[in-house]
Amino acid sequence: PPPPPPRCLRLSMAAPLSLRIGAECPVTRARLCRLRLPHQALHTPVFMPVGTQGTLKGIAVPQLEALGCHICLGNTYHLGMRPGPDLIAKANGLHGFMNWKRALLTDSGGFQMVSLVELAEVTEEGVRFSSPYDGEEILLSPEKSIEIQNALGSDIMMQLDDVVSSTVTGPRVEEAMYRSIRWLDRCIAANKNPEKQNLFAIIQGGLDAELRKKCLKEMIKRDIPGFAIGGLSGGEEKDHFWRMVLLSTEYLPREKPRYLMGVGYATDLVVCVALGCDMFDCVFPTRTARFGSALVPWGSLQLKHRQYAKDFKPIDEECTCPTCKRYTRAYLHALFKSDTAALHHITIHNIAYQLNLMSSIRESIQQRRFPEFIQQFMKRMYGSADKYPRWAVDALSAVNVKLE
């Protein structure tokens, strides 16, 4: 195996972030926190919509604000390519460029190692990409990732990590884990704005519990503002997924935010809040909207299907979003065939669904009835206990919730 990284001093910084735990579930590991960031104070658990290139596809900034979204994501790789960090810096960062006054989290660009793997080559120096736009070769090093994120001015920056698919096994996983620790130190050293921007570490180690523990123990020595659980949600078995999440929250410091990357299905959100996670992101609600799929408490509605052609109910009669207040399933079905506005309306509804779900979760934790909330959520989502996913039953059982 590669040699372990050099012993690191406890790196302390006056982080522009504070986390106050307001309530903890007495049964599960769920907690309600107030997270203060430079541009916004918000409550967790929180879902963060993904705006890859400075916008959420199909929704405008004022609409996102009106839905009660307090934090969203930007993608360092794509924004670093187009329109480029220099232009965005001239607009007073990504906040000014997209006219978003609330909190922003930028990813490091590392995920593109998996999603654009045919375009990438990884060395100790960094990741070499061929630009999907013009074919030009680009080196994304830990220093370059932080330089771009400093120019973007996000509230939370992610370290560049060596990302391998969650289905990969063998020595490559260990190599990536140790390299991610070394790259974290390079990211810490490269951060020009530690008093304004929070750098989060990303825990790696694949599905190997011992590698995850090593990574956790080493990264926790760096006194950084927050931690992300990475390297999951990439097609691995759900049974492996939840065990790695539970292992991570067991070791992560109680006083720091815990961000589970790439998780956005409703059941996954509810279960992973119970396992102790605070922050989540995923392209799922916006991407699925573009295929005509509307999220509801009992699953989803495929609005392009003919069964909705004469259905004059809103998507969800209990939803108060602008789409459900104004439009019927029949209208959206008809519009879907002829106008991209349908995708816009469904996107608004899906973001509202995610944000409302998280609001209900927070309220139930505060009122000390989160285990009851889980029971009600599962019954409504699946109808009967024999349809509950086995992994969810086992995961919740591990945090003392026995589904009825």
Side-chain angles (χ1 to χ4, degrees), residues 49-52 54-60 64 72-73 98 286 347 351:
V50 178
T52 303
T55 177
L56 264 78
K57 288 180 182 171
I59 186 167
L64 199 54
C72 64
L73 262 71
M98 63 186 281
T286 46
T347 297
I351 295 293

Side-chain angles (χ1 to χ4, degrees), residues 60-311:
V61 163
Q63 293 171 317
L64 199 54
E65 289 171 342
L67 292 176
C69 178
H70 292 112
I71 180 168
C72 64
L73 262 71
N75 182 286
T76 294
Y77 171 78
H78 289 290
L79 289 164
M81 304 281 275
R82 279 187 181 176
D86 295 342
L87 182 75
I88 292 175
K90 284 176 185 164
N92 294 318
L94 189 51
H95 285 92
F97 189 66
M98 63 186 281
N99 195 20
W100 172 256
K101 307 224 169 9
R102 299 177 183 179
L104 279 171
L105 182 151
T106 46
D107 70 2
S108 65
F111 177 69
Q112 276 64 42
M113 291 185 212
V114 174
S115 65
L116 302 173
V117 74
E118 71 283 358
L119 301 175
E121 179 202 355
V122 187
T123 65
E124 191 62 30
E125 195 181 3
V127 195
R128 285 196 188 279
F129 289 102
S130 296
S131 166
Y133 301 112
D134 58 14
E136 184 187 345
E137 190 176 274
I138 293 145
L139 174 69
L140 185 65
S141 63
E143 293 77 13
K144 186 65 179 174
S145 173
I146 296 301
E147 181 190 322
I148 296 170
Q149 292 184 80
N150 280 159
L152 297 178
S154 50
D155 297 70
I156 296 172
M157 307 185 293
M158 303 308 299
Q159 76 154 107
L160 184 67
D161 54 337
D162 185 355
V163 182
V164 290
S165 168
S166 55
T167 55
V168 168
T169 55
R172 178 71 184 97
V173 179
E174 185 173 20
E175 176 191 44
M177 184 274 284
Y178 279 124
R179 182 173 284 144
S180 294
I181 297 168
R182 294 192 294 274
W183 282 4
L184 172 60
D185 289 337
R186 287 168 61 184
C187 287
I188 292 169
N191 184 10
K192 300 282 193 292
N193 299 327
E195 73 297 337
K196 292 186 200 162
Q197 291 179 275
N198 298 286
L199 176 64
F200 277 28
I202 303 177
I203 308 299
Q204 289 292 350
L207 305 177
D208 185 316
E210 290 311 308
L211 288 182
R212 285 245 165 212
K213 282 182 202 169
K214 280 182 188 171
C215 193
L216 281 154
K217 286 175 180 172
E218 202 58 45
M219 285 187 169
I220 288 165
K221 291 176 187 173
R222 285 83 172 152
D223 184 21
I224 49 180
F227 295 89
I229 302 167
L232 299 173
S233 305
E236 73 278 3
E237 293 289 327
K238 277 293 193 9
D239 195 52
H240 297 310
F241 161 80
W242 76 258
R243 290 176 197 280
M244 292 301 106
V245 174
L246 188 69
L247 171 77
S248 302
T249 60
E250 204 171 293
Y251 281 83
L252 287 170
R254 180 174 174 270
E255 71 279 4
K256 302 281 177 81
R258 304 158 177 173
Y259 163 30
L260 180 56
M261 305 178 82
V263 167
Y265 295 146
T267 302
D268 298 19
L269 292 170
V270 172
V271 171
C272 292
V273 166
L275 298 180
C277 299
D278 304 313
M279 304 164 70
F280 307 88
D281 81 287
C282 192
V283 296
F284 168 67
T286 46
R287 182 173 287 168
T288 201
R290 298 196 292 276
F291 291 95
S293 182
L295 305 177
V296 287
W298 56 96
S300 62
L301 305 182
Q302 306 309 313
L303 291 172
K304 57 189 174 186
H305 290 176
R306 195 178 301 160
Q307 72 192 82
Y308 299 109
K310 296 177 182 177
D311 188 338

